[in-house]
Amino acid sequence: MKITVLGAGYVGLVTSACLADMGNSVMCLDIDPARLRVLRDGGVPIHEPGLEALVRHNVAAHRLSFTDDAARAVGHGTIVFIAVGTPAAEDGSADLEHVLRAAASIGQHMEDYKVIVDKSTVPVGTADRVRETVLQQLQTRSTIVPFAVVSNPEFLKEGAAIEDFMRPDRIIVGSDDERATLLMRALYAPFLRNRDRLMTMDLRSAELTKYAANAMLATRISFMNELARVAERVGADIEQVRLGLGSDPRIGSHFLYAGCGWGGSCLPKDVKALRRTAADVGVDMSILGAVQAVNDRQRLLLVERAQQRFGASLRGRRFGLWGLAFKPGTDDLREAPSLEIIEALLQAGATVQAYDPAVTASPTRLLTRREGFSFADDPIAAAADADALMIVTEWREFRSPDFEALRERLRQPVIFDGRNLFDPQQMADLGFEYHGIGRGVAGLPAERATTGVPMALTA
């Protein structure tokens, strides 16, 4: 099958490579010259495990190509995916400028039947706007070309996107056109050989499902972060509570980890966009307001703990920081909690030295130019001569470090663990003062240790 994908960003590139790997002829359009240059040179502009090899393999097999020629791209595929960015506007709504521009381009260049697929995360009603935009262009050309618009939201996890695409737990197709639905079923059939996980529904239900899924995930995390505060005050361990909750099949174990907040390209903007969509139709989704407020507060919790430990002014203090990306498996810094943490530490007068296995120093990164911030070459180097270590991203290589070397390199053996990687008692036995999330403080003398947040201490 001939496929066109408009947009070689995260979703577009993964979609292109995976569809090509099943034997389809895929042409991917992007107008960013730098991104196209990287792709044509055999690289990929993002960090996603396995993606570079998959792209190279399918380019070499002549199943995947890249272009900046819109007419050529639109003419190539019977199915045309729109996979462009939908950033949050100032009022929280999704900015559809790029989506509608892509739709207009399709209308300007299409000559035969097309299935136009909204792959980008878009608000309810976007399919109607895409259809209207294409029709306007066709009317301008005084031509009639049949087409259908389909909603096919992505459910890809950064760091596991290829696995998610190749072995989906569900594929949602919103369609009101039987021919388009059949083509979408044929396209996805190779991915569903074991069990049919493709669900068809109306367009607006498909659009709402994507926002609802991300809002639910954000709600679960914020609930656990709120519960972690209660656990600290009453002397409970949120990790044990998590295990008890997750064992209930009605609840399940996913997205129940307390930590230093959620971020990334999806949850923050999708929570805002769903609230905006609801407000536009007269519904106050107050629960999502609370979810967002909890997250805003949680993202600075490690800094609050550091100031309670060392004092409000952190001038002269140095902090090691493990993890910059918003989650492991990616180099994505969009809405990453690390950025707010670093900024708050610098504003309080501290210096920060950070290590992340995927995020490296680059002249294009704002972090590189921040006075008081530096990149380290490895985790232990990030902790060198630091007053405390903060763990912000739960990369695997952080789970079992050389604790003896870590303790020796730290100026003070203090750890603020924003991802609850370690057992508090074990850390105390190893000689660390350990501050987890929802687990109290371990490793302090009895007169200092309290349930909840410790009082300010002098170093």
Side-chain angles (χ1 to χ4, degrees), residues 14 79 90 128 170 244 265 275 293 415 448:
V14 171
I79 300 178
E90 289 186 7
D128 294 336
R170 81 280 206 198
S265 63
R275 287 187 70 196
I415 296 178
R448 291 181 177 179

Side-chain angles (χ1 to χ4, degrees), residues 258-269:
C260 53
W262 40 266
S265 63
C266 294
L267 296 193
K269 74 178 181 66

Side-chain angles (χ1 to χ4, degrees), residues 383-416:
D385 202 31
D387 291 283
L389 172 68
M390 290 187 175
I391 302 174
V392 181
T393 312
E394 63 274 30
W395 286 94
R396 287 182 180 178
E397 65 183 84
F398 300 158
R399 295 181 184 180
S400 186
D402 183 337
F403 287 111
E404 184 175 351
L406 177 61
R407 190 177 63 250
E408 290 176 354
R409 294 300 297 275
L410 284 165
R411 184 184 300 170
Q412 301 184 60
V414 180
I415 296 178
F416 298 96

